[in-house]
Amino acid sequence: MSVVDRQEWDVVVVGAGGAGLRAAVEARERGARTAVICKSLFGKAHTVMAEGGIAASMGNVNSGDNWQVHFRDTMRGGKFLNQWRMAELHAQEAPDRVWELETWGALFDRTKDGRISQRNFGGHEYPRLAHVGDRTGLELIRTLQQKIVSLQQEDFAETGDYESRLKVYQECTVTRILKDGDRVSGTFCYERESGRFFVLEAPSVIVATGGIGKSFKVTSNSWEYTGDGHALALLAGAPLLNMEFVQFHPTGMVWPPSVKGILVTESVRGDGGVLRNSEGKRFMFDYVPDVFKEKYAQSEEEGDRWYEDPDHNRRPPELLPRDEVARAINSEVKAGRGSPHGGVFLDVSTRMPAEVIRRRLPSMYHQFKELADVDITAEAMEVGPTCHYVMGGIAVESDTAAARGVPGLFAAGEVAGGMHGSNRLGGNSLSDLLVFGRRAGLHAARYAASAVQTGRPAVDETEVDAAAAEALRPFSAEGPEPGTGTGTEAALPGRDAVPAAGRPPENPYTLHQELQQAMNDLVGIIRREAEMEAALEKLAELRVRARRAGVEGHRQFNPGWHLALDLRNMLLVSECVARAALERTESRGGHTREDHPGMDRAWRRLNLLCRLADPTGGLAATDPVRGQIDLSRESTEPIRPDLLALFEKEELVKYLAEEELYE
Ligand code: FAD
């Protein structure tokens, strides 16, 4: 019988980034007693790093903008693989979510006539990104944090307890979603500082844990991005959608090595920055694909004129969607026209006065000055692709954010799949967090209210004991020979009973480094069949070794232990990425196959779903070499005719399969 401490809530939100906090505000406002739990300090989530802005068609800078144009841009950016209903809701609701933030205290940069200013970004037809300099994510989180505190103050006035209806558990990690039969019953968690285990019981759990970038060596992502939510959902029985689509942002720092991968915001190009190769050529003009030819400038002069007169000129190709720019940079470097440290040059110094650069791009100015000793007002930056965002994620219902197949489970933000198709446009994440965070909070609260009436799900003691045993395993990594163990962990899906193989423990840091190297080299920006097969073999080897990931010491703040636990998630998610990438024999958005270079219209009709193989814990789940993931194909839902009517027929021909056009 477990002695783990328990607390009862209506809704548990895992993650305190933009999606999690927006969901929590909504759930609490709908009357649900809501707990938020996060790995970092409250107010320090990855969203804080977001720089460029929030995409919303408010039409403040160009009145031609509206939700239909935003929808079109989003579908084009995602190469029509987006879950179109999500793209529609997102485009329609984003402006309200931005205005709402202002009513809660956010202060965006203004136009001369006092409206919220909007800036240009890749793939957006009009200036659309509401921003606060290049620190938009910080303002978003600060505002949501303030809103949460104000709700807690209201609760205090009524109940005498600030945390009676809304509580934040900071610096805590969820390692398992618990279930009562098919239904969610809560989360198993530990405090990172003390190592103490506890359970949050709730009929609704919203996963809002962000991305997976820490499985790759070069990444813009923070330490929190170990794919926990993706893995938690998989282990709870929910499928992941289109995990092959990983976005490599074209511009990360390439030098010095200690900062390689740190993001150089797209606002640099949105505000006039240009890309050049070692010969000084603005090479992007050579890389405009046919599907975008009519929309982008053919000459430097036209591209430059667009900044002043966007209604009579076409935008420069530096502002193509990210996948196109990243591939172009990769090709230039490969062709020997790269910068000294293996990137290309991004120049604002010859394009804007120094004081404008310092005002519009203050974080970039300081980032380069402090980390690379480069003054971007006087010289060009060196940049190259960096793993940035995962478009794949938990398969959800578009309107409700409910995860498929697991009643009570919801997902929002980067961890949810579908919204961005095969490639996300810059700025569309922050708006996604707000639109679908709100929807997840609303529907999770409704579901919890009905569950409370019909009977709360019960937390299963055996599952709690098994989750505790699983979390403690790294402290006893040396174990019996394979096949001889019968530990309590066997009660968990995705876990076998064999603790270890009688050999010395493996160092979790070494395993992590090898994983990152393999994913970077073998499932990175340009993919080849043989390399992805090699990646799957390497992942199988790492999975076996990770069973012996061991740590010394005790549970009080022990980063090695935390990493050993995160490895399970990174390995699961990496296997999903590699298997799906091997299966999709075409190039689309964030998935580029050298052996299948073209976009294949037949593939637009197909989604790839990853599920935990044999979640009951049978042979597949216990055989680390065979792998833990089953992959299946599923037809995409036909796009509603009134939404298709927003596009020219000539454009649709480029994306849709014959039969779809005919229909
Ligand atoms: P996050 O903000 O990452 O929050 C995840 C939360 O989950 C954290 O609180 C974390 O502690 C918690 N968590 C994770 N695992 C667990 C666990 N096991 N247990 C408990 N808690 C857990 N997008 C834009 O639209 N515009 C931009 O300008 C922009 N700029 C960016 C700049 C950078 C440098 C980067 C890296 C990304 C940028 N993005 C931008 C993308 C965007 O910031 C992210 O996609 C978005 O912030 C993700 O928000 P989220 O709420 O889904 O997750």
Side-chain angles (χ1 to χ4, degrees):
M1 173 75 174
S2 152
V3 286
V4 173
D5 179 37
R6 290 153 182 237
Q7 297 182 27
E8 205 173 85
W9 296 92
D10 297 330
V11 175
V12 169
V13 182
V14 188
L21 294 185
R22 186 62 191 82
V25 167
E26 194 67 23
R28 152 66 183 76
E29 290 202 316
R30 302 278 167 173
R33 290 186 65 251
T34 303
V36 182
I37 177 162
C38 54
K39 290 210 275 196
S40 46
L41 287 166
F42 183 34
K44 285 210 92 180
H46 183 91
T47 298
V48 166
M49 294 161 71
E51 295 162 352
I54 308 177
S57 60
M58 295 182 286
N60 288 353
V61 175
N62 189 321
S63 59
D65 206 5
N66 56 46
W67 78 260
Q68 288 92 341
V69 186
H70 193 180
F71 171 79
R72 276 205 304 257
D73 290 345
T74 302
M75 294 294 290
R76 283 179 189 132
K79 304 266 170 24
F80 276 67
L81 203 66
N82 317 57
Q83 204 152 310
W84 53 264
R85 174 66 177 153
M86 289 179 94
E88 180 191 17
L89 290 168
H90 166 259
Q92 287 172 339
E93 294 177 7
D96 282 348
R97 299 286 75 79
V98 173
W99 282 313
E100 171 184 78
L101 275 188
E102 283 230 323
T103 67
W104 295 347
L107 196 55
F108 290 98
D109 290 355
R110 317 309 286 186
T111 59
K112 282 194 184 110
D113 57 355
R115 292 187 281 180
I116 293 176
S117 176
Q118 300 190 266
R119 64 160 46 118
N120 287 305
F121 242 55
H124 292 281
E125 188 162 339
Y126 295 114
R128 190 176 281 149
L129 269 69
H131 55 274
V132 183
D134 53 8
R135 296 178 182 137
T136 313
L138 179 64
E139 182 70 355
L140 189 149
I141 290 293
R142 188 195 64 72
T143 306
L144 290 173
Q145 198 177 358
Q146 184 176 311
K147 176 72 182 167
I148 286 198
V149 171
S150 81
L151 288 171
Q152 288 176 322
Q153 282 167 346
E154 275 176 28
D155 292 341
F156 178 76
E158 221 176 291
T159 67
D161 177 1
Y162 288 104
E163 293 177 334
S164 53
R165 294 182 186 136
L166 183 52
K167 175 167 175 161
V168 180
Y169 295 81
Q170 56 181 346
E171 295 193 287
C172 295
T173 298
V174 172
T175 63
R176 283 274 173 176
I177 289 166
L178 304 170
K179 285 172 73 181
D180 177 1
D182 283 347
R183 296 189 299 164
V184 159
S185 61
T187 56
F188 181 85
C189 332
Y190 72 92
E191 284 177 358
R192 296 175 73 84
E193 201 180 322
S194 67
R196 186 183 69 89
F197 296 144
F198 61 102
V199 167
L200 299 178
E201 298 184 8
S204 292
V205 171
I206 301 174
V207 180
T209 50
I212 65 164
K214 277 295 168 192
S215 296
F216 290 80
K217 189 174 174 200
V218 180
T219 178
S220 64
N221 291 180
S222 74
W223 65 272
E224 292 171 287
Y225 269 25
T226 48
D228 295 10
H230 291 79
L232 289 170
L234 260 184
L235 292 167
L240 303 187
L241 177 78
N242 292 339
M243 288 300 289
E244 64 276 31
F245 296 114
V246 176
Q247 181 170 81
F248 291 83
H249 193 290
T251 59
M253 291 177 80
V254 294
W255 183 260
S258 58
V259 299
K260 191 165 177 170
I262 289 185
L263 193 75
V264 179
T265 174
E266 194 166 324
S267 323
V268 176
R269 283 171 287 134
D271 286 358
V274 293
L275 291 164
R276 295 186 203 280
N277 62 19
S278 58
E279 296 161 3
K281 181 174 177 191
R282 266 179 82 175
F283 58 86
M284 279 310 301
F285 287 91
D286 298 338
Y287 290 95
V288 184
D290 284 346
V291 284
F292 290 118
K293 273 240 147 75
E294 284 146 33
K295 304 219 164 294
Y296 285 82
Q298 298 290 316
S299 68
E300 290 190 27
E301 295 70 32
E302 185 186 0
D304 286 348
R305 283 198 305 270
W306 174 84
Y307 286 102
E308 297 305 321
D309 182 8
D311 290 337
H312 301 99
N313 296 286
R314 290 169 298 177
R315 55 189 32 235
E318 279 90 357
L319 291 177
L320 275 161
R322 290 174 174 173
D323 54 326
E324 310 290 354
V325 184
R327 273 191 295 272
I329 293 176
N330 198 65
S331 302
E332 285 298 303
V333 175
K334 233 171 138 184
R337 296 187 290 269
S339 66
H341 299 106
V344 293
F345 296 104
L346 172 59
D347 179 33
V348 275
S349 65
T350 60
R351 313 265 306 165
M352 285 183 243
E355 92 274 0
V356 176
I357 296 173
R358 278 194 290 265
R359 177 164 44 81
R360 290 193 65 95
L361 303 166
S363 300
M364 287 303 105
Y365 175 75
H366 290 294
Q367 182 173 309
F368 273 88
K369 198 89 191 100
E370 278 157 34
L371 302 179
D373 198 22
V374 166
D375 178 356
I376 68 168
T377 65
E379 54 190 310
M381 302 161 242
E382 274 186 76
V383 295
T386 177
C387 174
H388 184 60
Y389 185 89
V390 61
M391 276 71 69
I394 301 171
V396 290
E397 302 300 332
S398 299
D399 284 73
T400 62
R404 271 206 242 160
V406 185
L409 189 62
F410 298 80
E414 189 167 341
V415 73
M419 158 66 208
H420 305 284
S422 64
N423 173 52
R424 174 178 72 89
L425 294 186
N428 268 3
S429 173
L430 294 188
S431 38
D432 167 2
L433 310 182
L434 297 172
V435 168
F436 293 103
R438 177 187 155 277
R439 282 182 166 268
L442 168 65
H443 291 283
R446 279 188 187 158
Y447 175 89
S450 66
V452 167
Q453 290 201 334
T454 54
R456 290 177 71 94
V459 166
D460 176 355
E461 290 294 339
T462 338
E463 245 196 329
V464 175
D465 289 343
E470 177 187 44
L472 289 173
R473 176 190 276 193
F475 292 107
S476 53
E478 260 178 293
E481 290 302 319
T484 59
T486 52
T488 38
E489 281 178 62
L492 294 172
R495 273 304 191 197
D496 61 81
V498 185
R503 279 181 275 158
E506 289 275 352
N507 181 336
Y509 291 97
T510 310
L511 293 170
H512 187 208
Q513 274 169 11
E514 287 184 36
L515 169 68
Q516 289 182 315
Q517 194 73 54
M519 290 304 285
N520 228 76
D521 295 349
L522 306 174
V523 202
I525 181 165
I526 308 290
R527 297 165 173 174
R528 301 162 192 92
E529 183 175 325
E531 289 184 356
M532 287 181 286
E533 281 166 351
L536 284 167
E537 275 172 34
K538 180 70 186 174
L539 289 173
E541 176 212 315
L542 289 172
R543 258 195 312 275
V544 175
R545 288 168 56 198
R547 307 286 292 136
R548 300 198 312 276
V551 290
E552 290 180 355
H554 40 70
R555 283 199 262 164
Q556 276 81 7
F557 196 82
N558 185 337
W561 178 44
H562 303 162
L563 180 61
L565 298 182
D566 292 345
L567 274 174
R568 177 201 68 187
N569 304 330
M570 286 188 275
L571 284 165
L572 267 173
V573 167
S574 298
E575 188 185 336
C576 291
V577 175
R579 281 199 193 284
L582 185 59
E583 179 82 357
R584 189 175 281 274
T585 47
E586 65 156 352
S587 294
R588 182 184 293 270
H591 171 61
T592 305
R593 291 279 302 251
E594 195 177 69
D595 44 356
H596 297 278
M599 188 164 67
D600 179 348
R601 289 187 298 164
W603 267 107
R604 200 214 69 79
R605 299 209 84 177
L606 289 172
N607 285 326
L608 294 179
L609 290 175
C610 290
R611 289 190 170 82
L612 193 68
D614 197 357
T616 54
L619 180 66
T622 58
D623 177 1
V625 178
R626 181 203 167 287
Q628 297 189 288
I629 300 301
D630 273 348
L631 192 70
S632 59
R633 295 179 177 200
E634 180 193 71
S635 297
T636 53
E637 197 187 333
I639 303 174
R640 228 177 45 225
D642 60 304
L643 295 175
L644 278 183
L646 297 172
F647 298 87
E648 299 288 333
K649 179 98 189 285
E650 295 72 55
E651 183 172 13
L652 292 179
V653 169
K654 297 171 190 165
Y655 295 105
L656 303 192
E658 290 292 325
E659 57 274 24
E660 289 179 278
L661 287 166
Y662 182 70
E663 281 157 19

